[in-house]
Amino acid sequence: IPGLAHDLKKHELHRLRPGGGTAPFVPLEAWRVLLGDRNGNGIYDDEPSNINALHIRSTGGGLASWLMSTSVTIPLAGGTCLKDGDVFAFDGHGGVDVVYSESFFEVATQTTAIDIDAFAEGPGGALWFSFADDEFTASPALTAQNGGAPSIDEQTVFRLDPAATEAVIAFTKTQVVQIFNQAAGTGAASVVDVCGLASDPANPGHLLLSSRSVSSSFQGRVVT
């Protein structure tokens, strides 16, 4: 990519410049400083393996407004541990703030040991999220919304409304596949996994979705 001195890494964060082009926001070297010497070997060479979810708040600025989740649990210096189901941000003072914990999502969906794969805060305060793996729920309501099956596919998109204690299924696996097929004009049976969510700024009340599919019809594309 023009202007970058190295290849893009899957745990780096980049942004598009208003006039075009890409600018690194949190490159590899920055991650190593932000996370510190996690293994205590005296070398700042530790970084996450992958960033799963990313949401940028419209208020505030800098890293404190970038909410994210990693693909693996990360132990930090001082005993803090970031779980792969946590949504966190850097607090601007060298620390980490867990904004939404893994247990928060587990309680909302009556699941255990989840991994957040996609996450977004809606303009009205609703939370949208999707898991990295298929998960079993103990919730009768979610099971009913899932066609009677307690195993919820990783393509499923949840919504948790303000003041609600339990999430609902916003889009089932079948509905997600239909959305992508309609957008791409295809007839695929799966999009594998919903790996990105965001509010659509051009269509208030709508969502942007991306998938982990390797199909040329879906790969690298965002649908609304």
Side-chain angles (χ1 to χ4, degrees), residues 34-217:
L34 288 166
L35 292 178
D37 181 19
R38 294 191 294 113
N39 57 13
N41 66 352
I43 303 174
Y44 283 78
D45 60 353
D46 305 318
E47 68 266 351
S49 62
N50 190 20
I51 298 299
N52 269 359
L54 175 65
H55 171 79
I56 305 173
R57 284 174 163 167
S58 57
T59 57
L63 278 175
S65 63
W66 288 51
L67 308 187
M68 62 197 85
S69 183
T70 63
S71 62
V72 296
T73 295
I74 301 177
L76 302 177
T80 302
C81 185
L82 288 175
K83 297 181 179 181
D84 56 10
D86 289 337
V87 172
F88 68 94
F90 290 100
D91 62 11
H93 303 285
V96 173
D97 177 25
V98 176
V99 182
Y100 300 103
S101 68
E102 181 176 293
S103 61
F104 170 82
F105 295 105
E106 290 173 342
V107 169
T109 56
Q110 294 191 39
T111 54
T112 58
I114 58 91
D115 181 357
I116 290 293
D117 204 20
F119 168 83
E121 291 180 336
L127 303 181
W128 305 81
F129 57 95
S130 184
F131 294 148
D133 303 293
D134 296 354
E135 300 290 350
F136 282 91
T137 179
S139 165
L142 287 177
T143 297
Q145 294 166 40
N146 197 45
S151 177
I152 299 182
D153 192 274
E154 60 192 341
Q155 296 168 92
T156 303
V157 176
F158 296 93
R159 187 186 77 247
L160 181 62
D161 294 321
T165 57
E166 184 167 290
V168 298
I169 292 178
F171 300 115
T172 64
K173 167 189 173 180
T174 300
Q175 290 171 325
V176 167
V177 173
Q178 289 173 342
I179 290 169
F180 275 87
N181 279 331
Q182 179 181 350
T186 58
S190 172
V191 300
V192 182
D193 184 15
V194 171
C195 64
L197 288 169
S199 295
D200 185 349
N203 297 285
H206 292 235
L207 278 180
L208 298 175
L209 296 86
S210 60
S211 80
R212 204 175 296 280
S213 173
V214 296
S215 166
S216 58
S217 298

